[in-house]
Structures are given as structure tokens and as C-alpha cells.
């Protein structure tokens, strides 16, 4: 029933306690969740990711989180916010301390949402400068296509071409020119066919546009880095709170897992009494046999 790798690891590491106060407190926290499940309420927790990489990146100055890290951070923030809101109800008074330790940052969530698109890529509207660069890239690409098409039509009309299409070589658009006509269009030769009859030419006018496009792509990368770094820095100061919030989410998840187990197998909240040595078990069932769906003879002591 656990919702993360870390939660599962800690569930496997659980050991019995002989401290009655510790036991009673944990049972009390679990029981309020169990009661909610019995009433048909849905606890707003779902599969959440490991965020160790995020912790490490936040500790390194001038190191931005990448797109995948921000996706995981947003999911962590979203679950924490929904869970905190849910646990603020009076029926979860035993969990109010945990609820307050969850890391919530609605303004940070909003900033992440404004910067990324639905596929978790930095949106072109993440900054005015990035939008300007994207428009310039589109203009450069359009100019390259227009120039190539004009030269292609000219070459085809004069029977300089070997083939019917503009070709792509090393991500550059080239004209497949007949070898004996390759100098009819000024440009850079990017290779030739195995027979030597075809030369692949990138026109000089296109070379200049291509260089401009390369500079724009570099500017785009730089601007995206700046945007991601600025966004990362808004969370960097909260590193300790994020760490505490994540550990709290894991601990709540373990309690939810216990409550979910109790709900599925109709478990009963035990009552502990220190005033004598009496032990009373009514219709007890071995949980190991229960989860294996074995036939069980209830135990009464």
C-alpha cells in the first residue's frame, strides 16, 4: 500500500516497539486514517517520486534543476498541498503536527506551471527574451526553406540536379547537383555520391542563414539555463524545509499504508493496559496467513 520506494524501504525496516506511549500514539494516528477509509473517504496521496537528485542539485550553487526534476518537484508539492488541506480537518487532530511539517509552496507551484508546458518542456513564453528568440528561429528557418526552394527550382529548371528532392545531410539541407554542374551554385560541398556523379551542395546564402540559426539556438539554450537557474534559486533557500517535508510525507505514507492494510483486512485497534498482565485476544488471526488467503481458525485467549 506504500506510495514510494522510500516508504517501502522503511516499512520493511519496521521493528516492534515496547514503549506503550510510542505504540499508542502511532496507533492513534493510524486509527484516524483508518476511520476515514471505513467511511469511504479517499486520502489524497498517490505514487510520488524519489527526489534525492533534487536535494543534491539544490546544494550546488549555479546548478539548475532540469525539466524532469521540476516535474517531480511539482508532483511532490501538489501531493503535499492536497494532503495538508485534507489533514487539517478536526478528525485528523492526531496528525496536525505532521500536516504542519509538510512542505507546501503554492506560489512556487504556480511559477513552475507558468514556465513549463504540458510535456514538461520550458515554454517559449517562459520569458519575453525566449519568446523573441523562438520567433527569430522560426524566421531563420523559414528564410532557409524559402532560399533553398528558390535555388532548387532554378537548378531543376536548368537541369543541374541529380534527383527530384532537396536532401538532408548532417542536419543541413543540400542540393544534389550533377558533378559537372556543381559550380553553377556557389556553396559548400558536403560530399558526393559513391560514383562521383552527384555533389551535395549547401548554397552560400543558406550557409549564412544556417550560422545565424546556430547562434540563435545557442542563445535559446543560454536563456533556458538562465530561466531554470532563477526558478531553482527560489527553492534553494528552502532546502531544509523541502527535506523535512519529504521525510514527513514518507512518514504519513507509512501511516496511510497501515490504515489501508487495516481497512482491507478488517483489523481491530488494540487496547493496551499496564495495570496488570492480562492478555485478551478474541477471534485473532495471523496476518501472514490472512494475506496468503489461508484457511484460518480464529484464536481466542
Amino acid at each position: 500500500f506504500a506510495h514510494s520506494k522510500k516508504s517501502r524501504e522503511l516499512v520493511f525496516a519496521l521493528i516492534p516497539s515496547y514503549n506503550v506511549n510510542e505504540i499508542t500514539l502511532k496507533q492513534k494516528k493510524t486509527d484516524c486514517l483508518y476511520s476515514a477509509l471505513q467511511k469511504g473517504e479517499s486520502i489524497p496521496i498517490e505514487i510520488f517520486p524519489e527526489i534525492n537528485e533534487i536535494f543534491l542539485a539544490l546544494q550546488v550553487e549555479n546548478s539548475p534543476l532540469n525539466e524532469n526534476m521540476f516535474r517531480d518537484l511539482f508532483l511532490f508539492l501538489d501531493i503535499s498541498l492536497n494532503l495538508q488541506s485534507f489533514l487539517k480537518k478536526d478528525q485528523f487532530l492526531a496528525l496536525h503536527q505532521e500536516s504542519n511539517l509538510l512542505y507546501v509552496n503554492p506560489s512556487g507551484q504556480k511559477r513552475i506551471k507558468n514556465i513549463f508546458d504540458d510535456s514538461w518542456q520550458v515554454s517559449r513564453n517562459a520569458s519575453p527574451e525566449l519568446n523573441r528568440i523562438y520567433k527569430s528561429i522560426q524566421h531563420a528557418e523559414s528564410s532557409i526553406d524559402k532560399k533553398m526552394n528558390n535555388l532548387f527550382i532554378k537548378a531543376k529548371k536548368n537541369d543541374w540536379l541529380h534527383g527530384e528532392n532537396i536532401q538532408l545531410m548532417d542536419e543541413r539541407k543540400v542540393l544534389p547537383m550533377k558533378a559537372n554542374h556543381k559550380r553553377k551554385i556557389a556553396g559548400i560541398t558536403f560530399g558526393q555520391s559513391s560514383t562521383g556523379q552527384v555533389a551535395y551542395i549547401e548554397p552560400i546564402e543558406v550557409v549564412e542563414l544556417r550560422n545565424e540559426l546556430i547562434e540563435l539556438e545557442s542563445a535559446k539554450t543560454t536563456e533556458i539555463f538562465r530561466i531554470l537557474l532563477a526558478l531553482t534559486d527560489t527553492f534553494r533557500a528552502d532546502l531544509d524545509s523541502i527535506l523535512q517535508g519529504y521525510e514527513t510525507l514518507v512518514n504519513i505514507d507509512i501511516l496511510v499504508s497501515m490504515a489501508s492494510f487495516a481497512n482491507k483486512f478488517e483489523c481491530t485497534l488494540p487496547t493496551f493496559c499496564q495495570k496488570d498482565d492480562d492478555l485478551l485476544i478474541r477471534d485473532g488471526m495471523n496476518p501472514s496467513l490472512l494475506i496468503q488467503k489461508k484457511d484460518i481458525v480464529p484464536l481466542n485467549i
Side-chain angles (χ1 to χ4, degrees), residues 54 65-73 116 119-121:
I54 294 174
L65 303 183
N66 61 33
E67 289 87 344
N68 291 335
M69 291 178 185
F70 273 115
R71 179 195 61 204
D72 289 348
L73 178 59
F116 292 94
S119 60
W120 284 101
Q121 298 300 309

Side-chain angles (χ1 to χ4, degrees), residues 109-268:
Q109 278 183 262
K110 186 176 180 180
R111 287 197 64 184
I112 293 174
K113 205 169 183 64
N114 288 340
I115 284 175
F116 292 94
D117 59 23
D118 292 338
S119 60
W120 284 101
Q121 298 300 309
V122 175
S123 167
R124 62 179 295 165
N125 297 315
S127 77
E129 174 63 11
L130 187 60
N131 191 31
R132 184 196 68 77
I133 292 172
Y134 265 102
K135 288 180 179 178
S136 297
I137 288 173
Q138 287 179 323
H139 182 265
E141 289 175 338
S142 177
S143 297
I144 289 173
D145 289 340
K146 185 177 180 180
K147 181 65 68 174
M148 284 296 295
N149 286 333
N150 289 340
L151 291 170
F152 177 80
I153 292 170
K154 178 181 178 181
K156 185 176 182 180
K157 183 178 179 181
N158 289 282
D159 197 28
W160 298 339
L161 291 177
H162 188 283
E164 297 295 324
N165 297 294
I166 295 171
Q167 296 190 16
L168 201 62
M169 184 170 287
D170 294 332
E171 299 184 0
R172 292 173 178 266
K173 293 180 179 181
V174 295
L175 296 174
M177 303 285 290
K178 293 177 181 177
N180 58 333
H181 292 301
K182 66 180 183 179
R183 300 190 186 283
K184 295 292 177 63
I185 292 181
I188 298 174
T189 302
F190 273 91
Q192 59 183 18
S193 64
S194 56
T195 61
Q197 295 181 356
V198 185
Y200 300 99
I201 308 295
E202 183 180 35
I204 193 67
E205 300 100 315
V206 174
V207 171
E208 294 171 358
L209 291 170
R210 172 67 61 182
N211 290 338
E212 178 186 341
L213 185 60
I214 291 172
E215 290 179 3
L216 287 169
E217 290 289 352
S218 177
K220 182 180 79 170
T221 300
T222 299
E223 177 62 6
I224 287 175
F225 181 90
R226 186 198 67 77
I227 291 168
L228 292 178
L229 183 59
L231 182 59
T232 301
D233 286 342
T234 65
F235 290 97
R236 209 183 300 278
D238 290 348
L239 178 59
D240 291 340
S241 297
I242 294 172
L243 180 58
Q244 182 182 62
Y246 186 77
E247 291 175 346
T248 301
L249 178 60
V250 169
N251 290 333
I252 293 174
D253 187 32
I254 293 172
L255 294 172
V256 171
S257 301
M258 291 176 174
S260 299
F261 181 95
N263 187 50
K264 179 171 181 177
F265 295 107
E266 300 179 339
C267 300
T268 301

